[in-house]
Amino acid sequence: MKRFNALIEGMKLMGMHNIAQVTWKDVKLGEGFWGKWQQTNARSTVNAVYDRFFETGRINAMRLDWKEGMPNKPHIFWDSDVAKWMEGAAYILYYHEDDELRQKLEQIIDLIEAGQNEAGYFNSYFLTCEPDNIFQDRTAHELYTAGHLMEASIAHYYSTGSKRFLNVMTRFADYIEQAFKLNKTANYSAPGHQEIELALVRLWQATGEKRYLELSKHFVDVRGTDPHDRIFSVRNGTWPADPPLNSQLLYNDTYAQDDAPARELPAAAGHAVRAMYYYSSMADLARVYNDEELYQACLRLWDDATLRKMYVTGGVSGERFGEAIGASYILPNQDSYAETCASIGMAFFAQRLFSIHPDARYADIIERQMYNGALAGLSLDGSAFFYDNALKSAPAHNDFLKGVHDTRNLFPNYRRERVFECSCCPPNILRFIAAIGEYIYATEKDTLYISQYVQSNADIQLASGALHVAQTTNYPWTETVSIQVDAARMPDAVIALRMPGWCVNPSVSVNGAAVYDQHTLASGIELKHGYLYIPMSMIAGDTVELKFPMPVVELEANPLVAEAAGKVALMRGPVVYCLEAADNDFNLFDMIVLRDPQYRQDLRDVNGVPVVMLQGQAAVRSRGNWEQTLYRMGSSKYEKVAFTAVPYFAWANREAGDMSVWLQKESNLFGE
Amino acid sequence: MKRFNALIEGMKLMGMHNIAQVTWKDVKLGEGFWGKWQQTNARSTVNAVYDRFFETGRINAMRLDWKEGMPNKPHIFWDSDVAKWMEGAAYILYYHEDDELRQKLEQIIDLIEAGQNEAGYFNSYFLTCEPDNIFQDRTAHELYTAGHLMEASIAHYYSTGSKRFLNVMTRFADYIEQAFKLNKTANYSAPGHQEIELALVRLWQATGEKRYLELSKHFVDVRGTDPHDRIFSVRNGTWPADPPLNSQLLYNDTYAQDDAPARELPAAAGHAVRAMYYYSSMADLARVYNDEELYQACLRLWDDATLRKMYVTGGVSGERFGEAIGASYILPNQDSYAETCASIGMAFFAQRLFSIHPDARYADIIERQMYNGALAGLSLDGSAFFYDNALKSAPAHNDFLKGVHDTRNLFPNYRRERVFECSCCPPNILRFIAAIGEYIYATEKDTLYISQYVQSNADIQLASGALHVAQTTNYPWTETVSIQVDAARMPDAVIALRMPGWCVNPSVSVNGAAVYDQHTLASGIELKHGYLYIPMSMIAGDTVELKFPMPVVELEANPLVAEAAGKVALMRGPVVYCLEAADNDFNLFDMIVLRDPQYRQDLRDVNGVPVVMLQGQAAVRSRGNWEQTLYRMGSSKYEKVAFTAVPYFAWANREAGDMSVWLQKESNLFGE
């Protein structure tokens, strides 16, 4: 049993907490919702991603023997794809014996070890294709790639206990420290694509070497302060006279969060994945350095991202060109962006903010990503992926555009792909699910936080000793969670249970007696920032029963979200729903949910995976009279239809067809 | 008094009519709605467009003395901009004495006359910049430009009686005949951008030289049959190995209607302006050659364009990238395309189909363009323009995107521009309004058709003699039209009055006695295809009074138009309305029109122009409780608001702000 940030010492903790997540190693998931996903991950996804990466040359690129004229020229960011796969594989191998998988992983480490140059550098593209241009081009993703490789090496170390790969990566980190901080031989100050900042914090946690923490801080501090870095941005439409090598369009300073130093960033903006990784590292550093200014910046960015720029699915956000966080409240449904990686990145950010301040809103967002924004990126059989995620999809429209614009991609796909040219999302969802255990439990001194309700059991170290905790639940499909904890052993400890933000009337009982119900607290129980604090001494019989009623609810969006005006999104528990043509033989986009839809729900099977589906009542216009009419006056009569909604994460697993998250709702303007 | 197609002789007229428009020369508009627009045209627009064209170098380019290193390098299509201006100026000069304007026009003709090469060719770009590449690049717009110059020369001839410019252009036409038909020295068969086809029909009408008609037929017949022409298209994403000079992306064969020969075209598709000009020429040729197959193709394209691919404003259509007619029923509001020129082109097409078959649906569409799709392209003061026309506009969203993508233009502008790089629309709306008289009256034998209700008087030639007709009306603001016609002089003639498609209960009376009311016809009166045929012998007192009740109506779109689901567009008479922030201090996009909006209407002033505005009742959500909430369950209460709607053509003439044509409507699913 180990906490990765047990090495944090001597920190001043004034207003900030220092909550430690219980790691993926210490949590076993069993056969619940996420346990099954981890099995799919281990049996299908990890192999599917590897095979595609092998076929596309990503694995062999690391042999560094590519020559001009050969197929599959290495790409600047390929190593990052492989690194995320390695990280996921390392997590999986801790629980699942798989010799073939282990061999694949170790062979890639062999390649990296062999390929690392004398200085400590590794990047299969630059070592093969442009060895003289190392760290010359800020847009070339070298530090991003290095960060992911570091994370992979840390996972490998925790999973296997071997420091072989970790040592390769600390050498690389040492070289980066020289190039960017000590000797400043690199041609820019801050990475074009953030990631290494959070990886270096983890490298410090894994090794205890504080230089890595300080290097992370260096990168965060320098960002937005070096005018030279901005040369690589396109300002006011002017492309730099001499564009950098392999340059890609950085639309403006905001694109890569270069518009201001971290502590002054005014709003969540720019490339969404860069933003989320960056903000995550800012939160890490705010906590470790007790940096109030940086923390306030994090809170400002968090509020902006989650209160104005997030889809109901958790998707971040609406600006396709630039893969960016859009403007406030501009959340288009059909031409959404909502990259799978950005949802995962927002979970990273949320987890780190929770470590500073235990507030259920962070776990609420993690849950939203787990069951919606992130999970939607993966097919039910674990082998196919979405990069960007639509909230509304009309395949006929996509196909029409494809016929007209061969190179444009105005809407997200309506079919999942097995690999992408820029294939960051598939291995990202792989590693996210493989380490999903990390989001469930956390500790601070003698308080045990339970943030996610997942069938699992865990060995947990509190200040005054170790304890075992188990959850029995079929969450998110069923409303009840039973928590077994050896409370009697640690009467001075406290268990803090998250009351989900989506739940109107949660109830908690101990040994059959309610301690929280109808928003009434039993004596000795506290509710703070969405967590119910129960002294272990009150937990007779070692069992806490939770009930989270899960009626179907209709969510409205803020009136400023024009794309959701007059519409509702269906949610049951933490799961957001959508309608698909596969279940509904009428025009989804014309459909209006009745004022009283008489919702029903049942467990059904989609491609072998059980999911709760919803049924409700709605109305659509008959198309019969409209064949020769495009516009007409007067109001059409509607026909009743029964609709079926499927969890958003499960869409696009059957025949392709229309899909919509937001549904028109029968008006009820002034109440009944 | 003259009919331009009086030269048509020996035509077989089997199923097809041969209706002749009464030309702009024979119609005087006075002080009504269009008369005032013509005054704005003559006082403002014609000078504003000239000045911008002068400033940008378009006029001086015709001096052919541009040299590398000088500013304002000529562009391949600049002459077409100037030509449309010349055409408009020629119309204007017939009614408005303006020496300065006449001088400008004649000076440009001097330049063209002087610049035309020995072979007869003129194009200021090619003669200046690429004299060796004449007719080598199918995408270089040379025939498009030539067509517009021909139309300008015809207008000049009709306006002044001088054949000076006309003769220049017949020499050009002769050279084109040699290059494309006789000697085939040109490097392609059919123009990349159609226009010359309809211009050549007009050139035949103006000169009586049948070779021009045959050349038009040649271009229409050859289109879609020469595989070599397709080299210039990008098929399946493959750019040709050796792209042509000045090549522009022709996305696929459909883009320029190259996918099939004219008679086999399956659907209205591709670049909308090319399509409309092309279809117009097809209708011309179908009529003149009594070509049933071509006519059927026209009807198929017409139905497809107007029943599935037209905005409620008449805009054609929804596909921005490629400036194209979109897929059926895909009519996005904020990222509409709906080019002003395409609306004008659809009026051309409609007018030509009317000449073959007198059906009010053609005049209905012309009217829709006159008051909406086309007119929206011009500011009320006549000096600023829209190229593409939004149906929904949110300036904050445009501005955000502008900050992110300096070169992309994902939405139409929300402010009118004074000139565009591709500035076809400003002179097109100029010439359209200058010749608007041409859409009012038409004749066949002894039948006088009145298709548009416009304050005007006209001298008209019927088979058995000339007559004078006058309309007194403040249409489209008032419901009544009084028509004076010297009926007694021609008792055997028939007057055919269009009953507008938008009007539920038109009534017509003669000398105070109803001849048509409540859909009941007096004896001797016929209603066919939307025209009311009244024998002149029945018109006692020489006056016909028409009444077209103009309540505010709410239009619904076909249920397949997803962007209009649950919404209505307001129309009063032929005028489509929108809501603008300038009149409405609440969130337009959240607003829901009440079931009974208690509409009122009144005449108000917008920038000095009187327009009928509408008032109604609606509801919006209060924003007060939403500051810290992006999504929430439950249904919000609404507050009543009074809204004001302004004619769509008059939008964007005041301070910039949100605008929407389609408005959410309170549900009334199963009737009351």
Side-chain angles (χ1 to χ4, degrees):
Chain A
M1 226 288 314
K2 178 190 299 179
R3 274 174 291 145
F4 297 159
N5 54 2
L7 293 157
I8 301 168
E9 283 167 53
M11 282 178 39
K12 282 175 291 179
L13 276 173
M14 294 167 66
M16 297 192 210
H17 288 253
N18 185 28
I19 297 170
Q21 290 295 327
V22 175
T23 76
W24 55 272
K25 282 183 69 170
D26 300 316
V27 180
K28 291 179 189 63
L29 299 193
E31 287 289 319
F33 182 92
W34 287 106
K36 284 181 193 154
W37 270 110
Q38 286 198 338
Q39 288 167 22
T40 302
N41 219 21
R43 287 179 193 147
S44 166
T45 313
V46 73
N47 297 315
V49 173
Y50 181 89
D51 290 349
R52 300 296 88 69
F53 285 0
F54 188 86
E55 290 160 10
T56 54
R58 281 167 165 84
I59 307 292
N60 281 333
M62 290 183 156
R63 299 184 183 279
L64 311 186
D65 58 1
W66 183 88
K67 297 274 183 307
E68 204 66 61
M70 289 166 67
N72 297 329
K73 183 174 181 179
H75 190 279
I76 51 168
F77 56 57
W78 271 6
D79 293 354
S80 70
D81 295 342
V82 177
K84 273 178 279 198
W85 177 86
M86 295 172 79
E87 184 182 344
Y91 298 140
I92 287 168
L93 284 166
Y94 186 76
Y95 287 111
H96 297 262
E97 202 40 59
D98 183 336
D99 285 344
E100 206 179 323
L101 179 62
R102 188 172 302 277
Q103 211 173 346
K104 286 171 182 163
L105 175 60
E106 296 297 331
Q107 281 172 352
I108 298 173
I109 297 171
D110 292 343
L111 295 179
I112 296 170
E113 199 169 26
Q116 182 173 42
N117 76 9
E118 282 183 21
Y121 179 88
F122 184 83
N123 178 298
S124 62
Y125 172 81
F126 278 94
L127 290 178
T128 308
C129 303
E130 298 193 56
D132 297 336
N133 288 324
I134 288 168
F135 294 146
Q136 294 306 298
D137 174 7
R138 187 175 175 232
T139 71
H141 287 60
E142 290 160 278
L143 294 176
Y144 165 78
T145 297
H148 276 305
L149 285 167
M150 288 173 197
E151 288 204 273
S153 76
I154 295 162
H156 181 259
Y157 164 55
Y158 287 139
S159 174
T160 65
S162 157
K163 289 197 172 178
R164 175 168 89 107
F165 188 19
L166 188 68
N167 289 339
V168 173
M169 294 314 300
T170 54
R171 280 197 297 277
F172 194 176
D174 294 342
Y175 175 61
I176 291 168
E177 186 189 29
Q178 286 168 37
F180 285 87
K181 193 177 165 195
L182 305 179
N183 307 334
K184 301 202 180 189
T185 51
N187 194 31
Y188 52 94
S189 297
H193 191 315
Q194 301 94 319
E195 206 288 331
I196 196 168
E197 299 87 344
L198 74 85
L200 285 165
V201 174
R202 298 190 66 192
L203 194 62
W204 160 63
Q205 291 168 331
T207 63
E209 177 54 73
K210 205 170 175 188
R211 284 187 296 112
Y212 302 139
L213 177 69
E214 287 162 351
L215 184 58
S216 170
K217 183 171 187 303
H218 168 80
F219 280 132
V220 169
D221 287 347
V222 79
R223 188 171 208 90
T225 67
D226 178 359
H228 179 69
D229 275 5
R230 299 194 178 187
I231 292 173
F232 301 93
S233 301
V234 177
R235 255 183 188 284
N236 304 322
T238 314
W239 184 252
D242 185 23
L245 294 167
N246 307 305
S247 53
Q248 66 177 52
L249 186 59
L250 298 187
Y251 297 88
N252 57 21
D253 286 348
T254 307
Y255 176 76
Q257 296 79 39
D258 289 328
D259 48 324
R263 290 164 189 78
E264 296 166 27
L265 283 171
H271 187 274
V273 177
R274 292 168 207 234
M276 291 299 145
Y277 290 168
Y278 183 39
Y279 303 165
S280 296
S281 70
M282 286 164 60
D284 274 335
L285 297 170
R287 179 176 52 81
V288 175
Y289 286 98
N290 197 29
D291 184 334
E292 184 66 25
E293 200 183 350
L294 198 53
Y295 180 46
Q296 290 303 323
C298 287
L299 294 179
R300 190 165 65 238
L301 297 167
W302 170 265
D303 279 353
D304 193 44
T306 59
L307 295 179
R308 288 179 280 278
K309 299 171 178 176
M310 185 185 75
Y311 285 95
V312 69
T313 56
V316 193
S317 159
E319 198 15 61
R320 291 186 68 68
F321 301 100
E323 303 191 321
I325 301 171
S328 294
Y329 304 110
I330 293 180
L331 294 161
N333 293 316
Q334 192 173 11
D335 51 334
S336 51
Y337 157 57
E339 184 178 334
T340 304
C341 285
S343 276
I344 293 169
M346 186 179 261
F348 294 169
F349 185 31
Q351 189 179 18
R352 284 157 174 81
L353 286 175
F354 173 81
S355 291
I356 301 177
H357 182 69
D359 190 318
R361 64 179 169 162
Y362 302 119
D364 282 345
I365 292 286
I366 291 171
E367 186 179 59
R368 194 178 288 266
Q369 304 299 0
M370 286 168 66
Y371 294 100
N372 307 289
L375 191 57
L378 182 57
S379 67
L380 292 174
D381 70 1
S383 70
F385 308 89
F386 279 134
Y387 182 105
D388 40 354
N389 290 275
L391 279 272
K392 169 187 168 184
S393 187
H397 197 172
N398 287 43
D399 291 345
F400 174 80
L401 292 176
K402 200 79 186 166
V404 179
H405 321 292
D406 293 304
T407 57
R408 284 178 197 269
N409 200 358
L410 297 170
F411 301 140
N413 282 345
Y414 59 86
R415 261 191 250 279
R416 297 162 193 278
E417 301 279 337
R418 289 152 56 85
V419 67
F420 305 95
E421 270 189 50
C422 175
S423 208
C424 45
C425 296
N428 217 355
I429 188 71
L430 171 78
R431 69 172 182 148
F432 181 68
I433 291 176
I436 202 93
E438 214 160 87
Y439 295 92
I440 303 171
Y441 304 101
T443 65
E444 187 179 38
K445 297 176 187 156
D446 268 345
T447 301
L448 165 64
Y449 291 93
I450 302 188
S451 292
Q452 301 299 336
Y453 298 105
V454 175
Q455 168 90 21
S456 61
N457 62 82
D459 293 306
I460 293 171
Q461 185 69 43
L462 294 180
S464 34
L467 55 71
H468 185 85
V469 63
Q471 293 187 52
T472 308
T473 183
N474 199 18
Y475 192 96
W477 305 134
T478 57
E479 300 176 338
T480 56
V481 182
S482 174
I483 296 174
Q484 288 80 42
V485 60
D486 37 6
R489 285 185 50 207
M490 299 185 69
D492 294 337
V494 172
I495 188 167
L497 302 169
R498 168 176 156 259
M499 299 294 104
W502 56 260
C503 187
V504 174
N505 185 23
S507 60
V508 180
S509 61
V510 173
N511 223 14
V515 296
Y516 182 56
D517 192 22
Q518 305 288 335
H519 303 284
T520 305
L521 293 161
S523 168
I525 311 278
E526 253 194 307
L527 182 67
K528 270 194 306 197
H529 305 300
Y531 280 84
L532 195 73
Y533 291 79
I534 310 177
M536 292 281 196
S537 59
M538 289 181 66
I539 304 179
D542 289 358
T543 299
V544 184
E545 301 282 348
L546 300 94
K547 184 165 184 189
F548 302 122
M550 294 183 177
V552 180
V553 299
E554 295 177 345
L555 294 179
E556 259 179 57
N558 188 301
L560 291 172
V561 182
E563 290 251 356
K567 296 182 179 173
V568 294
L570 306 185
M571 201 164 169
R572 178 188 174 277
V575 179
V576 175
Y577 282 75
C578 67
L579 263 62
E580 279 196 286
D583 301 303
N584 300 285
D585 186 24
F586 50 79
N587 183 348
L588 300 183
F589 306 129
D590 192 47
M591 191 196 86
I592 300 180
V593 176
L594 295 192
R595 206 174 285 184
D596 174 12
Q598 303 180 18
Y599 287 115
R600 290 180 299 113
Q601 33 181 284
D602 56 11
L603 200 66
R604 294 199 203 169
D605 180 288
V606 178
N607 284 12
V609 175
V611 301
V612 169
M613 287 195 176
L614 312 179
Q615 289 85 42
Q617 303 287 322
V620 293
R621 282 179 286 176
S622 155
R623 259 146 64 177
N625 304 328
W626 280 97
E627 299 251 317
Q628 292 300 312
T629 310
L630 187 50
Y631 304 105
R632 74 177 182 205
M633 62 184 84
S635 54
S636 291
K637 291 301 166 267
Y638 281 73
E639 300 169 356
K640 274 197 189 174
V641 289
F643 69 83
T644 298
V646 65
Y648 175 70
F649 74 76
W651 91 277
N653 280 283
R654 296 171 293 175
E655 63 271 38
D658 290 348
M659 182 278 288
S660 190
V661 169
W662 289 100
L663 309 172
Q664 293 190 89
K665 176 70 184 175
E666 187 181 4
S667 315
N668 183 13
L669 301 180
F670 307 112
E672 294 244 88
Chain B
M1 224 287 316
K2 178 191 299 180
R3 274 174 292 145
F4 296 158
N5 54 2
L7 292 157
I8 301 169
E9 284 168 50
M11 282 178 40
K12 282 174 291 177
L13 275 173
M14 292 165 68
M16 297 191 209
H17 287 253
N18 185 27
I19 298 170
Q21 291 294 329
V22 174
T23 77
W24 57 272
K25 282 182 70 169
D26 301 316
V27 180
K28 291 179 189 62
L29 299 194
E31 287 289 319
F33 182 91
W34 287 107
K36 284 181 191 154
W37 271 109
Q38 286 197 339
Q39 288 168 23
T40 302
N41 219 21
R43 287 180 194 147
S44 168
T45 312
V46 73
N47 297 314
V49 173
Y50 181 90
D51 289 350
R52 299 299 87 69
F53 285 0
F54 188 87
E55 290 160 10
T56 54
R58 281 168 166 84
I59 308 292
N60 281 332
M62 289 183 158
R63 300 185 183 279
L64 310 185
D65 58 2
W66 183 88
K67 296 274 183 307
E68 205 64 60
M70 289 165 67
N72 297 329
K73 182 174 181 179
H75 191 280
I76 50 167
F77 57 57
W78 271 6
D79 293 353
S80 69
D81 295 343
V82 177
K84 272 176 282 198
W85 177 85
M86 295 172 79
E87 184 181 342
Y91 298 140
I92 288 167
L93 285 166
Y94 186 76
Y95 288 112
H96 298 262
E97 202 39 59
D98 184 336
D99 286 343
E100 203 177 324
L101 179 61
R102 188 173 302 278
Q103 210 172 350
K104 285 171 182 164
L105 175 59
E106 296 298 330
Q107 281 173 350
I108 298 173
I109 297 171
D110 292 344
L111 294 178
I112 296 170
E113 199 169 24
Q116 183 174 40
N117 77 10
E118 283 184 18
Y121 179 90
F122 185 82
N123 178 299
S124 63
Y125 172 81
F126 278 94
L127 290 178
T128 309
C129 303
E130 297 193 55
D132 298 335
N133 287 325
I134 287 167
F135 294 146
Q136 293 306 296
D137 175 8
R138 188 175 175 231
T139 70
H141 287 60
E142 290 160 279
L143 294 177
Y144 165 79
T145 298
H148 276 306
L149 286 167
M150 287 173 199
E151 289 204 272
S153 76
I154 295 162
H156 181 258
Y157 164 54
Y158 287 138
S159 176
T160 65
S162 157
K163 290 196 172 179
R164 175 168 90 106
F165 188 17
L166 189 68
N167 288 340
V168 172
M169 293 315 298
T170 54
R171 280 197 296 279
F172 195 175
D174 295 341
Y175 175 60
I176 291 168
E177 185 189 30
Q178 286 168 36
F180 285 87
K181 193 176 164 195
L182 304 180
N183 306 333
K184 301 202 180 189
T185 51
N187 193 30
Y188 52 94
S189 298
H193 192 316
Q194 300 94 319
E195 208 286 332
I196 196 169
E197 299 87 344
L198 76 84
L200 284 166
V201 174
R202 299 190 65 192
L203 195 60
W204 160 63
Q205 291 168 331
T207 63
E209 177 52 72
K210 205 170 174 187
R211 284 187 297 110
Y212 302 139
L213 177 68
E214 286 161 353
L215 183 57
S216 171
K217 183 171 186 303
H218 168 78
F219 280 133
V220 169
D221 288 347
V222 78
R223 191 171 206 89
T225 67
D226 178 358
H228 180 67
D229 275 6
R230 300 194 177 188
I231 292 173
F232 300 93
S233 302
V234 177
R235 254 182 188 285
N236 305 320
T238 315
W239 184 253
D242 186 22
L245 294 167
N246 307 306
S247 53
Q248 67 177 52
L249 186 60
L250 299 187
Y251 297 89
N252 57 22
D253 285 348
T254 308
Y255 176 76
Q257 297 78 39
D258 290 327
D259 47 325
R263 290 164 188 78
E264 296 165 27
L265 284 171
H271 187 275
V273 177
R274 292 170 207 233
M276 291 299 145
Y277 289 170
Y278 184 38
Y279 303 165
S280 297
S281 70
M282 286 165 59
D284 274 336
L285 295 171
R287 179 176 53 80
V288 175
Y289 286 97
N290 196 30
D291 184 334
E292 183 66 26
E293 199 182 350
L294 198 55
Y295 180 45
Q296 289 304 323
C298 288
L299 294 179
R300 191 164 63 237
L301 297 167
W302 171 266
D303 279 353
D304 192 44
T306 58
L307 295 179
R308 287 179 281 279
K309 299 170 178 176
M310 185 186 76
Y311 284 95
V312 68
T313 55
V316 193
S317 153
E319 197 18 59
R320 291 186 68 68
F321 301 100
E323 303 191 320
I325 300 172
S328 294
Y329 304 111
I330 293 178
L331 295 161
N333 293 315
Q334 192 173 10
D335 51 335
S336 51
Y337 157 57
E339 183 178 336
T340 304
C341 284
S343 276
I344 293 169
M346 187 179 260
F348 294 169
F349 185 29
Q351 189 179 18
R352 283 158 175 81
L353 286 175
F354 173 81
S355 291
I356 301 177
H357 181 70
D359 189 319
R361 64 179 168 161
Y362 301 119
D364 283 345
I365 292 287
I366 291 171
E367 185 179 60
R368 193 178 288 266
Q369 305 298 2
M370 285 167 67
Y371 293 101
N372 307 288
L375 190 57
L378 181 58
S379 67
L380 292 173
D381 70 1
S383 71
F385 309 89
F386 280 133
Y387 182 105
D388 40 354
N389 290 275
L391 280 272
K392 169 188 170 184
S393 187
H397 196 173
N398 288 43
D399 291 347
F400 175 81
L401 291 176
K402 202 77 188 168
V404 179
H405 320 292
D406 292 304
T407 57
R408 284 178 198 270
N409 199 359
L410 296 171
F411 301 140
N413 282 347
Y414 60 85
R415 261 191 250 278
R416 296 162 194 278
E417 302 279 337
R418 289 153 55 85
V419 67
F420 305 94
E421 271 189 49
C422 175
S423 209
C424 45
C425 296
N428 216 355
I429 189 73
L430 171 77
R431 68 171 182 149
F432 181 69
I433 291 176
I436 203 90
E438 215 160 85
Y439 296 91
I440 303 172
Y441 304 100
T443 64
E444 188 178 37
K445 298 176 186 154
D446 268 347
T447 300
L448 165 64
Y449 291 93
I450 302 188
S451 292
Q452 302 298 336
Y453 299 106
V454 175
Q455 168 92 21
S456 61
N457 62 82
D459 294 306
I460 293 172
Q461 185 68 44
L462 293 180
S464 33
L467 55 72
H468 186 84
V469 63
Q471 294 186 53
T472 309
T473 182
N474 199 17
Y475 193 98
W477 305 133
T478 55
E479 301 177 338
T480 54
V481 182
S482 175
I483 296 174
Q484 288 80 42
V485 59
D486 35 8
R489 285 185 49 210
M490 299 184 70
D492 295 335
V494 172
I495 187 165
L497 302 170
R498 167 176 157 259
M499 298 296 102
W502 55 261
C503 187
V504 174
N505 185 22
S507 60
V508 181
S509 60
V510 174
N511 222 16
V515 295
Y516 181 56
D517 193 21
Q518 303 290 334
H519 304 283
T520 304
L521 293 163
S523 169
I525 311 278
E526 253 193 307
L527 183 66
K528 270 194 307 196
H529 303 301
Y531 279 84
L532 196 72
Y533 291 79
I534 309 177
M536 292 281 195
S537 59
M538 290 180 65
I539 304 179
D542 289 355
T543 298
V544 184
E545 301 282 348
L546 301 92
K547 184 165 184 188
F548 302 123
M550 295 184 178
V552 180
V553 298
E554 296 177 344
L555 294 180
E556 258 179 58
N558 187 301
L560 291 172
V561 181
E563 291 250 356
K567 295 181 177 171
V568 295
L570 306 185
M571 201 163 170
R572 179 189 174 275
V575 179
V576 175
Y577 282 74
C578 67
L579 264 63
E580 279 195 286
D583 301 302
N584 300 284
D585 186 22
F586 49 78
N587 182 350
L588 300 184
F589 306 130
D590 191 47
M591 190 196 87
I592 299 179
V593 176
L594 296 193
R595 207 173 286 184
D596 175 13
Q598 302 178 19
Y599 286 116
R600 291 180 299 113
Q601 33 183 285
D602 57 10
L603 200 66
R604 295 199 203 167
D605 179 288
V606 177
N607 284 12
V609 175
V611 301
V612 169
M613 286 195 176
L614 312 179
Q615 290 85 43
Q617 303 288 322
V620 293
R621 283 179 286 176
S622 154
R623 258 147 65 176
N625 304 326
W626 280 99
E627 298 251 317
Q628 292 299 312
T629 308
L630 188 50
Y631 305 104
R632 75 177 182 205
M633 63 185 85
S635 53
S636 291
K637 292 299 166 267
Y638 282 72
E639 300 169 357
K640 273 196 191 175
V641 289
F643 69 83
T644 297
V646 67
Y648 175 70
F649 74 76
W651 91 277
N653 279 284
R654 297 170 292 174
E655 64 270 38
D658 291 347
M659 182 279 287
S660 189
V661 170
W662 289 100
L663 309 172
Q664 293 190 87
K665 175 70 184 175
E666 186 182 5
S667 316
N668 183 12
L669 301 181
F670 307 111
E672 294 243 88

